[in-house]
């Protein structure tokens, strides 16, 4: 929570992760399962595009929020 506040205030730059890195952190093995996280009703995990032609990147803060939301549901 402290890191999220510092990121929001601009003191720390949020780390951008590739799809493979994000999948490794979440423990997901297939791309199809990972893509389903975009369509989740509560707290979807949406990518960020830096450039139109670039690969989508995922913010570390968004992944941490997603993990916390899973812990709240259980």
């Amino acid at each position: 929570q402290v890191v999220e506040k510092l990121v929001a205030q601009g003191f720390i730059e949020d780390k951008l992760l590739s799809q493979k890195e994000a999948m490794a952190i979440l423990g997901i093995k297939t791309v199809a399962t990972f893509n389903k996280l975009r369509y989740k009703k509560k707290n979807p995990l949406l990518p960020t595009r830096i450039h139109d032609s670039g690969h989508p990147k995922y913010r570390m803060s968004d992944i941490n929020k997603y993990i916390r939301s899973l812990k709240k549901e259980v």
Side-chain angles (χ1 to χ4, degrees), residues 2-3 8 14-15 17 27-28 36-37 40 66-67:
V2 174
V3 173
D14 199 5
K15 186 175 180 183
L17 304 171
I28 297 172
K36 288 179 184 177
L37 301 181
K40 194 174 177 195
Y66 182 79
I67 291 171

Side-chain angles (χ1 to χ4, degrees), residues 44-58:
L45 187 61
L46 300 173
T48 304
R49 290 208 181 259
I50 300 170
H51 305 290
D52 291 339
S53 61
H55 294 289
K57 301 287 183 183
Y58 297 85

Side-chain angles (χ1 to χ4, degrees), residues 10-71:
F11 291 113
I12 300 175
E13 187 174 333
D14 199 5
K15 186 175 180 183
L16 293 175
L17 304 171
S18 69
Q19 183 176 0
K20 287 183 181 181
E21 293 170 330
M23 286 173 59
I25 289 173
L26 293 171
I28 297 172
K29 296 182 180 179
T30 61
V31 176
T33 304
F34 185 73
N35 287 337
K36 288 179 184 177
L37 301 181
R38 292 182 189 183
Y39 305 109
K40 194 174 177 195
K41 289 182 181 178
K42 290 185 179 179
N43 197 17
L45 187 61
L46 300 173
T48 304
R49 290 208 181 259
I50 300 170
H51 305 290
D52 291 339
S53 61
H55 294 289
K57 301 287 183 183
Y58 297 85
R59 290 194 168 124
M60 189 67 182
S61 60
D62 291 343
I63 291 172
N64 288 333
K65 284 179 192 174
Y66 182 79
I67 291 171
R68 268 198 312 288
S69 74
L70 291 177
K71 289 180 182 177

